[in-house]
Amino acid sequence: MGLINLSRFILEEQRKYSGATGDFSLILEQIALAGKIISKDVSKAGIANIIGEADSLNVFGERQQKLDLFAHNTLVYSLDHIGKLAGMVSEESDKIIEIPTKHVEGKYLAVFDPLDGSSNIDVNISIGTIFGVYKKLNENIDGCTEKDFLQPGCKLICAGYVIYGASTMLVYSTGNGVNGFTLDPSLGEFILSHSNMKIPHSGSIYSVNEAYYDKWDTKIKKYVEYLKNFKEREYKSRYIGSLVSDFHRNLLKGGIFLYPADKKNPDGKLRLLYEANPLSFIIEQAGGKAIDGKNDILRKTPQSVHQRTPLFIGSPFEVELLKEYMSTD
Ligand code: AHM
Ligand code: MG
């Protein structure tokens, strides 16, 4: 059988659903295009004199890196003119991104973290783009407000990520399983390389920033200690500090990623809308679980577009165990 490139895969998937208009496929194709452009620039970060901090701070007061801004602009530029979106939310913009009046509006909403793990850019470590697509709740009203984006993750129509690692991969789901595509640089095409991805029921990796141990709740401390002393399996600690990279490794190998609330970050660090939700959508589609300690991430209704959440995500066994620890006194 020949290679299956992303466009072919999208088209074949679309044909399975009568009534599919192809609207949504164009959004995905454009995100893939943005991923290729970002990948090209990330891969020459060391030589292109584009490493370094830009002057501005993002909405959280964190210093933005030049590649963050480039990735943000690339995604917006790839998506704002196609007539399929009513607005976008990006980690790099405090305000909702509206569709310029010269372009036609559509019925979908996109959310993204353009370049996650950005502190790893200038040390040549894998980083990624995380994205999600929702349908606008009321298609009869033009434009969009913050309220339109405050939908729980279970309402996502599509979610995915692009990882810029040893190779560039795009992994996505539209709610019918998870598929991964590897960028063939000689063709400039994403080729299906990981079909119907499933996370192992249990795995030997736990990923958490253990330097924050003293700031954790006792329950988290006890859970991590339990994993370390687990008799039936020897757990390994693996933490890159790039969510997409840590997530991708655990999806393939099994285990758990934890970013708990702590004394410094009482709501956790990661963002619900464009970090936790898309990855939780993927993990559930791959047979895994994602919780905030108590509730499923995908069932949380966001209160604001840049809301943070604690995140525990990975194999069912490790996440269920964590849930038990969190529910005991
Ligand atoms: P960013 O969106 O500013 O890049 O921050 C998110 C990143 C995640 O990729 C990663 O999981 C986390 O921050 C690491 O945080 P810490 O350095 O506190 O462990
Ligand atoms: Mg981020």
Side-chain angles (χ1 to χ4, degrees), residues 166-202:
S167 58
T168 294
M169 267 190 84
L170 184 147
V171 175
Y172 83 94
S173 174
T174 52
N176 296 295
V178 182
N179 291 283
F181 302 78
T182 302
L183 182 64
D184 180 334
S186 63
L187 296 173
E189 284 283 334
F190 281 109
I191 307 293
L192 181 63
S193 53
H194 297 61
S195 55
N196 198 18
M197 298 168 83
K198 293 285 173 210
I199 187 167
H201 179 73
S202 172

Side-chain angles (χ1 to χ4, degrees), residues 20-197:
T21 56
D23 279 8
F24 173 67
S25 306
L26 184 57
I27 300 173
L28 203 47
E29 297 252 20
Q30 289 299 106
I31 291 174
L33 172 64
K36 285 192 240 181
I37 297 169
I38 297 166
S39 173
K40 184 171 69 68
D41 272 66
V42 165
S43 70
K44 60 182 185 192
I47 51 164
N49 196 25
I50 48 175
I51 293 186
E53 294 179 350
D55 291 336
S56 54
L57 300 180
N58 73 5
V59 57
F60 304 102
E62 297 157 343
R63 197 156 288 285
Q64 288 179 316
Q65 309 265 310
K66 282 183 184 168
L67 266 174
D68 288 19
L69 292 174
F70 174 78
H72 168 86
N73 291 335
T74 302
L75 276 158
V76 172
Y77 186 72
S78 303
L79 291 168
D80 70 354
H81 64 285
I82 58 175
K84 306 300 175 197
L85 292 175
M88 295 169 251
V89 159
S90 163
E91 180 177 340
E92 303 302 338
S93 168
D94 54 351
K95 294 206 179 78
I96 287 167
I97 302 150
E98 290 173 13
I99 302 303
T101 43
K102 62 181 176 186
H103 299 311
V104 181
E105 266 189 38
K107 57 185 178 192
Y108 294 97
L109 303 167
V111 296
F112 41 82
D113 181 353
L115 210 51
D116 180 68
S118 48
S119 64
N120 281 323
I121 292 173
D122 50 2
V123 287
N124 210 350
I125 287 174
S126 302
I127 46 183
T129 297
I130 309 173
F131 63 88
V133 180
Y134 291 91
K135 202 167 200 176
K136 215 169 109 173
L137 292 176
N138 190 343
E139 290 172 32
N140 300 322
I141 300 172
D142 284 344
C144 64
T145 64
E146 174 157 355
K147 220 171 146 197
D148 289 297
F149 287 88
L150 304 182
Q151 303 183 39
C154 57
K155 297 276 184 201
L156 279 161
I157 309 260
C158 170
Y161 59 89
V162 184
I163 178 167
Y164 312 105
S167 58
T168 294
M169 267 190 84
L170 184 147
V171 175
Y172 83 94
S173 174
T174 52
N176 296 295
V178 182
N179 291 283
F181 302 78
T182 302
L183 182 64
D184 180 334
S186 63
L187 296 173
E189 284 283 334
F190 281 109
I191 307 293
L192 181 63
S193 53
H194 297 61
S195 55
N196 198 18
M197 298 168 83

Side-chain angles (χ1 to χ4, degrees), residues 62 91 113 115-118 209 212 239 241-243 257 259 269-271 275:
E62 297 157 343
E91 180 177 340
D113 181 353
L115 210 51
D116 180 68
S118 48
N209 191 335
Y212 304 149
Y239 191 73
S242 276
L243 176 61
F257 172 92
Y259 207 114
K269 177 187 180 190
L270 301 172
R271 272 63 91 170
E275 292 182 320

Side-chain angles (χ1 to χ4, degrees), residues 8 16 34 37 49 74 77 132 175 182 205 218 251 269 296 329:
R8 178 178 182 144
K16 287 185 193 160
I37 297 169
N49 196 25
T74 302
Y77 186 72
T182 302
I205 294 172
T218 314
L251 172 62
K269 177 187 180 190
D296 289 347
D329 294 318

